[in-house]
């Protein structure tokens, strides 16, 4: 049966465009573990891996989309975004790497993962019309790029693409991860290895240096200054700042 005939009968599933960060994670040398471990021990290890990762993803406001047993994909910004999708994805990746340092096989062998993150526009749709509880399926270049970047990452590390790096460079320190010619991509891809998260004080200073000066708003700034002085003197009050999105509240 042709695809057009199939979709004609099923109807078009709801879909919407979103700018998301896609996280791809795989266990290093999973085939070797499968060969060396008893199947029951392997099952326990994979269950622990997936449970740990799913909990960590949800703690960072991500969506645990789907898994392949020894790996998984998660989306950040697919359901609700706070404008920090890239930062949440990176923080989640670092947390996963750290959490799995405490996981080992029955024989004491350490478990390591690789994490790849890419950010961009995707189309999200339900996996199945029959099962609306299923996670969304993201379609677009970031899904494939995150997977490719993950394969290039060093064990126990988090690598990101240039877009993710640009969005999060005031929150984390990075090392050059090299340029790679990934299968399916016509142009070489620059990657970055996440080194560490910057202290909050340094992140604030870097953001402040990039702020633009006020244009006008003299009356509003005067009201805020006077309100602050009243509050300092013990007069309690509330100031409400309202306006359309994007005007610089």
């Amino acid at each position: 049966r042709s695809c057009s005939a199939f979709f004609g009968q099923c109807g078009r599933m709801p879909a919407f465009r979103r700018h998301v960060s896609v996280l791809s994670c795989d266990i290093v040398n999973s085939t070797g573990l499968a060969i060396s471990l008893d199947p029951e021990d392997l099952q326990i290890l994979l269950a622990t891996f997936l449970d740990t990762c799913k909990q960590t993803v949800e703690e960072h406001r991500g969506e645990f989309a789907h898994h392949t047993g020894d790996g998984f994909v998660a989306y950040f910004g697919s359901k609700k975004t706070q404008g920090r999708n890239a930062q949440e994805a990176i923080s989640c990746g670092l947390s996963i790497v750290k959490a799995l340092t405490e996981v080992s096989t029955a024989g004491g062998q350490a478990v390591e993962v690789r994490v790849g993150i890419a950010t961009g526009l995707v189309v999200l749709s339900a996996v199945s019309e029959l099962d609306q509880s299923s996670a969304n399926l993201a379609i677009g270049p970031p899904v494939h790029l995150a997977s490719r970047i993950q394969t290039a990452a060093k064990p126990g590390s988090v690598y990101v693409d240039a877009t993710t790096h640009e969005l999060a460079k005031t929150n984390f320190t990075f090392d050059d991860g090299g340029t790679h010619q990934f299968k399916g991509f016509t142009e070489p891809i620059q990657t970055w290895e996440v080194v560490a998260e910057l202290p909050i004080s340094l992140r604030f200073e870097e953001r402040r240096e990039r702020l633009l000066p006020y244009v006008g708003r003299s009356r509003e700034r005067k009201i805020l200054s006077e309100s602050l002085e009243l509050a300092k003197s013990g007069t309690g009050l509330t100031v409400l700042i309202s306006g359309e999105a994007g005007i610089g509240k």
Side-chain angles (χ1 to χ4, degrees):
R1 184 166 50 171
S2 69
C3 290
S4 58
F6 174 79
F7 286 111
Q9 292 180 18
C10 293
R12 185 176 179 180
M13 290 181 287
F16 48 95
R17 297 159 70 91
R18 279 284 173 84
H19 197 272
V20 304
S21 292
V22 181
L23 183 152
S24 175
C25 176
D26 261 7
I27 295 177
V28 176
N29 190 31
S30 58
T31 302
L33 292 174
I35 294 173
S36 63
L37 293 177
D38 179 86
E40 289 187 5
D41 291 335
L42 179 62
Q43 187 276 327
I44 293 172
L45 175 65
L46 293 178
T48 302
F49 161 69
L50 292 173
D51 287 345
T52 300
C53 292
K54 185 174 187 295
Q55 179 180 345
T56 306
V57 167
E58 292 173 349
E59 287 173 352
H60 289 81
R61 304 179 183 85
E63 178 183 4
F64 192 88
H66 55 84
H67 69 86
T68 57
D70 61 348
F72 72 92
V73 173
Y75 311 141
F76 294 81
S78 59
K79 291 185 176 180
K80 185 177 181 181
T81 178
Q82 307 256 342
R84 289 177 47 83
N85 301 335
Q87 292 89 334
E88 291 285 9
I90 293 174
S91 182
C92 178
L94 293 174
S95 296
I96 287 172
V97 171
K98 182 179 179 181
L100 291 176
T101 59
E102 302 176 4
V103 177
S104 61
T105 67
Q109 184 177 351
V111 176
E112 289 187 302
V113 295
R114 296 186 181 94
V115 176
I117 300 171
T119 300
L121 186 66
V122 302
V123 171
L124 290 158
S125 66
V127 174
S128 169
E129 284 190 319
L130 300 177
D131 182 10
Q132 294 299 325
S133 65
S134 297
N136 287 317
L137 174 67
I139 301 170
V143 180
H144 302 277
L145 183 55
S147 177
R148 299 299 187 199
I149 292 175
Q150 175 268 126
T151 62
K154 295 184 293 188
S157 67
V158 178
Y159 276 42
V160 305
D161 70 337
T163 302
T164 308
H165 169 260
E166 181 65 25
L167 291 169
K169 64 183 181 182
T170 60
N171 299 87
F172 301 86
T173 55
F174 296 86
D175 280 342
D176 189 335
T179 302
H180 305 269
Q181 186 63 63
F182 293 126
K183 181 180 178 180
F185 290 85
T186 56
E187 299 294 332
I189 301 296
Q190 173 66 49
T191 64
W192 299 88
E193 179 183 359
V194 184
V195 176
E197 188 167 7
L198 286 170
I200 292 177
S201 58
L202 292 180
R203 281 185 271 163
F204 177 76
E205 287 300 324
E206 290 197 25
R207 286 181 181 177
R208 188 167 64 179
E209 290 175 3
R210 298 169 64 188
L211 293 177
L212 297 175
Y214 280 106
V215 177
R217 306 295 184 194
S218 300
R219 175 176 173 273
E220 290 84 355
R221 295 177 66 190
K222 181 181 179 183
I223 292 173
L224 287 174
S225 297
E226 292 174 348
S227 299
L228 177 61
E229 293 304 318
L230 286 172
K232 287 180 178 179
S233 66
T235 303
L237 49 84
T238 300
V239 177
L240 173 65
I241 301 176
S242 64
E244 296 180 3
I247 65 171
K249 293 187 291 296

